Amino acid sequence: MNKILVTGGKGFLGSHIVARLQQEGYQVRVLARPRPDAAPSSNGSYEVIAADIRDADAVEQAMRGMDAVIHLVSNFRKGGSDKEDAYAVNVEGSQNVLRAAHKHHVQRVVHCSTIGVHGTVLSIPANETTPFNPTDLYQETKLVAERLVWKFYEKTQLPITVIRPISLIGPHDTRMLKLFRMIQQGRFIMMGQGDAFFQPAYIDDVVDGFMLALTHPQAVGEAFIVGGEEYVPLRELVTMIAEELHVAPPKIRIPLEPMLIAASLCESVCVPLKIEPPLHRRRMSFFQNNRAFSVEKARKLLGFEPQYNLREALRATIRWYKEQNWL
Ligand SMILES: NC(=O)c1ccc[n+]([C@@H]2O[C@H](COP(=O)([O-])OP(=O)(O)OC[C@H]3O[C@@H](n4cnc5c(N)ncnc54)[C@H](OP(=O)(O)O)[C@@H]3O)[C@@H](O)[C@H]2O)c1
């Protein structure tokens, strides 16, 4: 197995997976959304196919000649995205990938899901058997896509593995950067008590999980949660970040409920107008949802072993942000 298609290979996780595949000698083709500057080309080290994941023919073309596919495309955390678009990208896009992979007899499909399919976790740590409980449109569509994957697997026996990454941090991430910046600038306000658990996973650990999913014989037909192992209450996480940034830990707290109402109102006005709401419920879920997961299944079946503890992951992320002058 040598030729790997990575859908969403220019995104945060995708860019790291592409780099690792190249380091390990794979030949990489990336499917990236068409842009004026992204005609079918090569960036010098890998081939780029400009295609929208919703375009079944284009996905089929991109799959030609490939031995395996890692499917990452998602309209991730777009608060303003409507239901139709979320389903088209996350669900129909996945269906296009599965059909094309089946048609071209690829040897492995690694489908990227999310721990978000479990929603907020009641009994911690959760694992792959924890009931699904998506709490927003993104998680809901990721779950519909994952169910589609398993139906397809039962029907075709296409060798598929599902990875559910834990929330990622690391170089090239711009989502968690906002949290680090707010803490550094003393602008972070805790909504609620900060007692929901949070479990940031360092990007390199998650990439390790994808590499095992791509190659390990025991990975086929299984879903794996991958990431770091340490989870802490959000208030402890922000204190750790403040310590690593050498600033005072955030002190201001406000009740969560009024903010939830405000977020709901913002969404009801902005989403129909296709505007990204300044406040949306998904952002609020950051303060609400318990995220605490076990990676034992991946450890036992695949030999997965996270290399970064939480403090090391935060430190490495902060170092990179500083190198970019982002902090
Ligand atoms: N980051 C996390 O914490 C996390 C946690 C769990 C699971 N995941 C999953 O990991 C995967 C990658 O996430 P990420 O953090 O790397 O997000 P990302 O940086 O937003 O990457 C997603 C990629 O998908 C591309 N894309 C979106 N819509 C497309 C379309 N219609 N056609 C073709 N490409 C399209 C985006 O291209 P554009 O740049 O053109 O928009 C982007 O390159 C996703 O499946 C996500 O659900 C992420």
Side-chain angles (χ1 to χ4, degrees), residues 142-260:
K142 292 294 276 189
L143 177 57
V144 176
E146 203 180 310
R147 289 195 161 128
L148 187 86
V149 164
W150 293 126
K151 265 198 192 142
F152 202 86
Y153 174 69
E154 277 168 30
K155 208 166 107 191
T156 63
Q157 292 299 299
L158 185 69
I160 305 175
T161 300
V162 168
I163 293 289
R164 294 182 198 144
I166 291 170
S167 313
L168 301 169
I169 58 170
H172 301 288
D173 175 50
T174 51
R175 294 186 187 102
M176 292 293 283
L177 171 64
K178 291 175 207 140
L179 172 67
F180 288 77
R181 267 199 184 142
M182 283 196 284
I183 294 171
Q184 188 185 45
Q185 295 165 1
R187 291 189 295 112
F188 178 82
I189 297 173
M190 182 69 79
M191 298 189 197
Q193 295 301 312
D195 46 14
F197 281 98
F198 205 86
Q199 187 177 12
Y202 194 63
I203 186 83
D204 290 1
D205 283 336
V206 173
V207 173
D208 287 348
F210 274 87
M211 296 307 289
L212 289 164
L214 184 67
T215 52
H216 202 292
Q218 294 227 57
V220 173
E222 299 287 347
F224 297 97
I225 291 171
V226 297
E229 287 190 286
E230 243 177 299
Y231 45 84
V232 291
L234 188 54
R235 59 174 178 275
E236 205 174 309
L237 178 72
V238 297
T239 301
M240 280 173 97
I241 295 175
E243 283 166 4
E244 291 302 321
L245 287 166
H246 309 293
V247 296
K251 289 211 170 55
I252 306 172
R253 285 188 189 166
I254 58 171
L256 188 60
E257 285 69 25
M259 299 308 291
L260 285 171

Side-chain angles (χ1 to χ4, degrees), residues 97-119:
V97 170
L98 292 168
R99 286 186 175 149
H102 187 237
K103 180 169 179 184
H104 291 285
H105 309 288
V106 307
Q107 296 161 37
R108 187 68 58 100
V109 176
V110 182
H111 173 89
C112 182
S113 184
T114 169
I115 48 149
V117 294
H118 299 288

Side-chain angles (χ1 to χ4, degrees), residues 70-82:
I70 299 179
H71 174 46
L72 304 171
V73 162
S74 171
N75 67 349
F76 189 45
R77 286 189 201 167
K78 295 273 194 309
S81 68
D82 59 31

